[in-house]
Amino acid sequence: MSTPLNTHDHPDAHGDGETTSIELKETEGLSQSAIVWRKFIRHTGAIVGFTVLGLVALLAFTSQGVGPIPGWWIHGHQASNPVINPSGAPTWSLADPFDLGPHPFGQDDIGRDNFARVMKGTQISIMVMLIIGAISMLIGTVVGSLAGFYRGWLDAALMRITDGFIILPTIVVGAILGKLVSNSNAVMLGVALGAILWTGLARLVRGEFLALREREFVDSARVAGASDFRIMFKHMLPNALGVVIVNTTLLMSQAIVLETALSFLGFGIRSPEVSLGALINEYQTAFSTRPWLFWWPGLFIIVIALCINFIGDGLRDANDPRQKKIPSQRQMDRAAKRESQAPAAGGLRGDALTNPNAAKPGQRPTEE
């Protein structure tokens, strides 16, 4: 005699099957990149971080201009002006009507506009952060790909070089390189720091390639006559791209803090150029008399670092197939309604689940 299937052990009884069904229906027919993008735009923290970071970058680059393109703000970051408020206090007011005034972030002791200097410092810090992220991603991806694909002596040699970079104190090496190459050159500082921050990404990419090289699609590409370069960067790298993007994003948040620390210590961006860390270093003695000169650069550093971290969290969740979003009650109700309106075949399927001996279409019922 057959024993009916225990419905409490069925996934649908706990809602897991229904949740999976909703997820599969939402992503049906979409490519992997479309699924990742769909998950990313539904991540509230990532979208907020991306929006705020975009607004900060837009404000910084448009207010002070880029290269020969002038900005819309009336003051330059090096121009001296008469100090109009006692001690150069900020001129913005919340009274009706709201008014920013000519110096909303205040002025320093020689009349330079703090808003212009903070915006220029934000420009330089974001530029250095992006260069560090790009250089680290390039070096880490190439080193990790070669080590994970070829293994053997090349893997051992590259990993020992990576270990050598890991054991070096980052802040000390960064200070030495910053002192040698910065000289008010943000690009060279970014390249120098990016050349020492790729080690963690290289190890992660190596681990991904060690797993991917054993997959069937790699064997198929090799049998088809594809070169090693094509196999690595055409077939394997797209499957490891999620790890690369996520960890590069998180690395960029560390990069802006490192650039700030080096500039604060005097080993990064130096006068006449400015960065957020250099501004904190320059105005640290004014903390008790003109605290607004210290607060604004620190606030923008915190905002940028938090935004990058939120974006990295969103990318990590979007690229992780194990991350599942619990559907809302409305989605659950719609799924239940669709199931109730399904054709009679659905009923036969439900009978087959609860009674294995139930008759299937075109088959005689099984006698007990």
Side-chain angles (χ1 to χ4, degrees), residues 297-309:
L299 176 63
F300 274 83
I301 291 170
I302 294 172
V303 168
I304 294 173
L306 284 178
C307 289
I308 295 296
N309 278 323

Side-chain angles (χ1 to χ4, degrees), residues 339-362:
E339 292 293 333
S340 64
Q341 294 176 352
L348 292 176
R349 179 178 176 274
D351 293 340
L353 287 173
T354 56
N355 185 5
N357 293 328
K360 298 179 181 179

Side-chain angles (χ1 to χ4, degrees), residues 271-330:
S271 181
E273 291 296 336
V274 294
S275 70
L276 296 177
L279 288 176
I280 293 178
N281 178 35
E282 183 177 351
Y283 295 135
Q284 60 179 319
T285 57
F287 182 76
S288 58
T289 58
R290 295 183 178 92
W292 52 85
L293 299 176
F294 191 89
W295 289 344
W296 288 109
L299 176 63
F300 274 83
I301 291 170
I302 294 172
V303 168
I304 294 173
L306 284 178
C307 289
I308 295 296
N309 278 323
F310 287 152
I311 294 172
D313 289 341
L315 289 172
R316 181 189 59 200
D317 294 346
N319 283 279
D320 190 351
R322 295 169 296 181
Q323 294 287 340
K324 294 183 178 181
K325 182 179 179 180
I326 300 176
S328 63
Q329 186 61 42
R330 179 179 297 179

